[in-house]
Amino acid sequence: MAEKKLDNFYKEWLKNLPKLSEGYIYDGNKNLRPTRYIFSHLKEIVNKFLTNNIDEFEKIILLPGIRGLGKTTLLMQIFKIEKFLSPANSLDAKILQNLSNLDYRFYFDISKFHFEQITLNEFFKFFEKVNNFNFINLDKKVILLLDEVHFDEKWSLFLKVLFDSIKGHKNLLVIATGSSAINLKISADLMRRATTVEVFPMKFNEYLILKHRIFPIKDVSDNLQEVLFNSKNARTVFSGLKEIEPEIDRFFINLPLDCEEDFFKNGGFPFVANLENDVEIAERIDNVINGIITKDIITIKKFKTETISKINDLLYLLANSDVISYEKLLQTLRIDNIRTLTALLEVLVMSGIIIKVKSYGQTYGTTRKTPKYLFITPSLRSAILSGIFPAGVEGKKLEDYFVLIFEKDLKKAIAYKLFYDIAEGGADFVLTLLDRNNIVIETGFNKEEIKQVEKTMKKVKNAKYGLVFGSDNLELAENSIVKVPLKFLMVI
């Protein structure tokens, strides 16, 4: 590529970057946008980098996640990190002091490279030349923030080669965002060299911070996870919850009216913090979904145009149904081939918009057992259904929310896998812990019945206890099942 074109692009980019960054770090009232939890984690990485204490595999951080989760805003907040630091906080004070060690910081949107037909490799060769350094023997501290890195087809190879070239020093930190699908495109070589931190939709605690500036009870989420999913038996769960209940009750008394309902409807995405109009929020979520379909899914797998056009209908059927079957989906969507349908479902899973939950004890035989497909945040289901839930489907919002908790907090840390009981009248979930014991879980609004949990517990091996989320009162049933009000689930 002509060096003149690269030079013009670079100069224009640097000229526009200050105004671009301001649009992301400030809201319409010129107030700094609040930061997400993951910002705190990245602050620690930055401080380790500035003090040469960074681990070899933290020099390249990958942040995959679906659209609309504020990944660009996050990078801009790192780009302008000093604006988001308080000298009263000990870590912040250290970073402010150590920022004098930082020589350069750069933010680049790789989708703009793609639009200009500029590759990562050719741009950064030019970049090294124009800044009079090279990455191999870099003697200056540089932070590179690369947004939407997946727009370059060879991004994984580029980062792998970059990592190998900086083995001799700790002077370059790369933080790169991408779609959820980048997990599939990470080469084995890069996976061994980088740290991946998934960016998830917001849980209720984070929604309260961003939307209402209400901060959760200190350490409550970690404590609840330990009590609910790592206790010896149901009695231990019950006593642990009973102990913390007064504090949680005091917290909920002071929350804004209908904030839980608003969370399930709109609260999965950070942009809800700056919007009041439900219609506008729903449109933004629809844009997220359409962006995933038109920009992410088509890069994962090639489909005929006619097949791509069925994805919105497929999402509607998944959102509008309590129980689905492959046969019903094939018939309703008029898809001839089961392989086409399963390929569509798989790309929706790969894109991060839905989560696949297999049936417990699934065997591979002539009978095809349809997995349960849930949304990574209830806000997606609500937007797809325009907030109107048919009978029997509203409770799926809680299943969506539990899947988010599993993916974000429990997976790998406490639990090994999440299943569901395919039998009629069975429980919503079987949570298999790292020690291969099981917890049987049912969720629902105004949920008092324990029959589903009892039924599933009888056939599940190593069932420690059962949990029913959604009861009016905290209650121990049959010495093996705990009925848990939703307030406990909400603040995990």
Side-chain angles (χ1 to χ4, degrees):
M1 172 167 288
E3 191 168 301
K4 186 167 175 41
K5 180 180 177 180
L6 289 168
D7 189 57
N8 288 339
F9 173 83
Y10 185 47
K11 285 176 179 172
E12 192 68 17
W13 178 258
L14 292 181
K15 186 178 82 175
N16 293 325
L17 186 55
K19 190 172 182 181
L20 178 68
S21 64
E22 285 204 1
Y24 279 98
I25 65 174
Y26 293 105
D27 63 21
N29 297 317
K30 293 295 179 186
N31 297 315
L32 286 172
R33 295 186 191 275
T35 59
R36 294 198 59 187
Y37 282 150
I38 193 172
F39 180 76
S40 297
H41 174 67
L42 293 178
K43 279 197 306 185
E44 291 177 10
I45 300 283
V46 168
N47 190 55
K48 286 163 75 175
F49 169 70
L50 294 174
T51 54
N52 288 324
N53 291 313
I54 196 162
D55 184 86
E56 192 72 10
F57 305 106
E58 291 176 324
K59 294 195 292 192
I60 295 180
I61 307 287
L62 299 175
L63 303 175
I66 65 170
R67 293 170 181 276
L69 298 183
K71 298 192 295 294
T72 300
T73 300
L74 178 63
L75 287 192
M76 288 297 193
Q77 288 170 335
I78 295 294
F79 183 61
K80 297 285 188 179
I81 192 169
E82 57 271 51
K83 292 182 179 292
F84 297 89
L85 301 176
S86 166
N89 178 288
S90 58
L91 175 61
D92 289 6
K94 288 176 187 174
I95 297 172
L96 284 167
Q97 184 180 346
N98 294 327
L99 273 173
S100 59
N101 299 332
L102 183 63
D103 296 292
Y104 297 103
R105 60 186 109 169
F106 299 94
Y107 165 89
F108 295 107
D109 181 348
I110 309 309
S111 71
K112 300 293 190 294
F113 285 25
H114 179 72
F115 182 76
E116 296 289 343
Q117 297 183 308
I118 299 170
T119 68
L120 279 164
N121 189 47
E122 63 192 351
F123 177 79
F124 280 102
K125 280 182 179 175
F126 163 80
F127 175 81
E128 286 178 301
K129 181 180 175 182
V130 80
N131 285 293
N132 196 29
F133 57 64
N134 67 61
F135 293 129
I136 293 174
N137 54 20
L138 189 63
D139 59 356
K140 296 177 171 61
K141 282 280 183 189
V142 179
I143 294 178
L144 270 186
L145 305 167
L146 306 180
D147 206 4
E148 304 223 67
V149 72
H150 60 281
F151 271 91
D152 189 294
E153 287 183 6
K154 295 183 178 178
W155 68 268
S156 186
L157 177 61
F158 170 79
L159 291 179
K160 182 261 181 191
V161 171
L162 182 59
F163 177 92
D164 290 343
S165 71
I166 60 173
K167 273 188 176 179
H169 61 78
K170 295 183 176 182
N171 289 331
L172 180 66
L173 172 63
V174 179
I175 304 176
T177 72
S179 70
S180 291
I182 72 170
N183 285 323
L184 309 169
K185 304 279 178 80
I186 300 174
S187 67
D189 285 336
L190 179 59
M191 198 172 287
R192 290 194 298 269
R193 292 163 166 82
T195 296
T196 301
V197 183
E198 190 87 23
V199 183
F200 288 100
M202 296 195 299
K203 294 194 304 176
F204 186 60
N205 283 338
E206 202 169 12
Y207 157 82
L208 289 175
I209 295 171
L210 266 71
K211 181 72 174 178
H212 299 290
R213 305 298 194 270
I214 296 172
F215 290 84
I217 307 164
K218 186 172 170 47
D219 299 327
V220 71
S221 179
D222 291 343
N223 292 342
L224 280 173
Q225 286 175 45
E226 193 66 23
V227 170
L228 285 163
F229 309 114
N230 206 21
S231 287
K232 188 166 67 173
N233 52 44
R235 282 189 171 280
T236 312
V237 175
F238 177 75
S239 60
L241 294 180
K242 200 73 181 169
E243 191 176 321
I244 199 173
E245 187 171 30
E247 193 174 13
I248 289 179
D249 283 341
R250 286 193 297 273
F251 179 73
F252 270 83
I253 283 171
N254 296 312
L255 293 186
L257 192 66
D258 299 328
C259 68
E260 292 134 281
E261 185 181 333
D262 180 61
F263 165 74
F264 284 119
K265 190 174 184 181
N266 302 319
F269 295 92
F271 51 70
V272 70
N274 305 300
L275 300 172
E276 297 295 334
N277 187 305
D278 280 359
V279 174
E280 192 176 352
I281 294 169
E283 285 176 357
R284 288 283 297 271
I285 299 175
D286 282 340
N287 289 340
V288 167
I289 296 168
N290 291 331
I292 290 169
I293 294 171
T294 59
K295 294 178 182 174
D296 297 339
I297 284 176
I298 58 172
T299 67
I300 299 171
K301 192 174 178 68
K302 300 292 182 210
F303 289 104
K304 293 177 182 175
T305 307
E306 180 189 351
T307 306
I308 289 284
S309 68
K310 296 179 186 290
I311 291 179
N312 276 312
D313 290 336
L314 174 56
L315 287 171
Y316 180 80
L317 289 171
L318 294 176
N320 198 44
S321 308
D322 180 24
V323 179
I324 64 157
S325 69
Y326 287 132
E327 289 71 23
K328 181 183 174 184
L329 292 176
L330 285 167
Q331 185 180 359
T332 308
L333 295 169
R334 296 180 184 174
I335 294 175
D336 300 330
N337 193 324
I338 184 69
R339 281 177 298 196
T340 303
L341 175 62
T342 53
L344 278 177
L345 288 164
E346 284 307 306
V347 295
L348 287 173
V349 172
M350 292 171 191
S351 72
I353 197 170
I354 61 173
I355 301 295
K356 179 181 180 178
V357 182
K358 291 182 179 178
S359 60
Y360 180 78
Q362 186 166 14
T363 55
Y364 296 93
T366 52
T367 306
R368 188 185 300 276
K369 295 184 178 179
T370 309
K372 182 184 281 193
Y373 291 98
L374 297 167
F375 290 86
I376 190 59
T377 168
S379 301
L380 286 167
R381 187 185 297 269
S382 185
I384 290 166
L385 296 177
S386 302
I388 301 167
F389 289 82
V393 172
E394 189 153 14
K396 302 295 283 188
K397 292 189 288 192
L398 291 174
E399 292 186 46
D400 294 335
Y401 190 50
F402 189 81
V403 156
L404 173 59
I405 290 170
F406 170 75
E407 290 288 326
K408 185 177 185 300
D409 299 326
L410 306 182
K411 194 176 182 179
K412 296 180 183 175
I414 289 177
Y416 157 72
K417 199 81 175 176
L418 188 66
F419 299 97
Y420 83 105
D421 187 353
I422 198 170
E424 190 175 343
D428 289 334
F429 299 111
V430 177
L431 182 69
T432 302
L433 306 174
L434 294 179
D435 63 5
R436 297 306 190 264
N437 281 316
N438 290 297
I439 300 171
V440 178
I441 296 165
E442 179 73 13
T443 64
F445 295 103
N446 306 311
K447 196 83 179 178
E448 301 296 341
E449 278 285 348
I450 62 170
K451 288 178 183 175
Q452 295 102 319
V453 171
E454 286 180 313
K455 180 175 180 178
T456 302
M457 284 181 74
K458 285 176 183 174
K459 68 177 180 182
V460 167
K461 296 176 184 177
N462 304 322
K464 285 176 78 175
Y465 49 84
L467 300 172
V468 176
F469 288 106
S471 62
D472 281 345
N473 299 300
L474 179 62
E475 192 179 320
L476 180 64
E478 306 296 330
N479 276 325
S480 61
I481 298 168
V482 185
K483 294 165 70 172
V484 185
L486 282 181
K487 60 191 175 187
F488 291 98
L489 183 67
M490 297 302 289
V491 293
I492 289 179

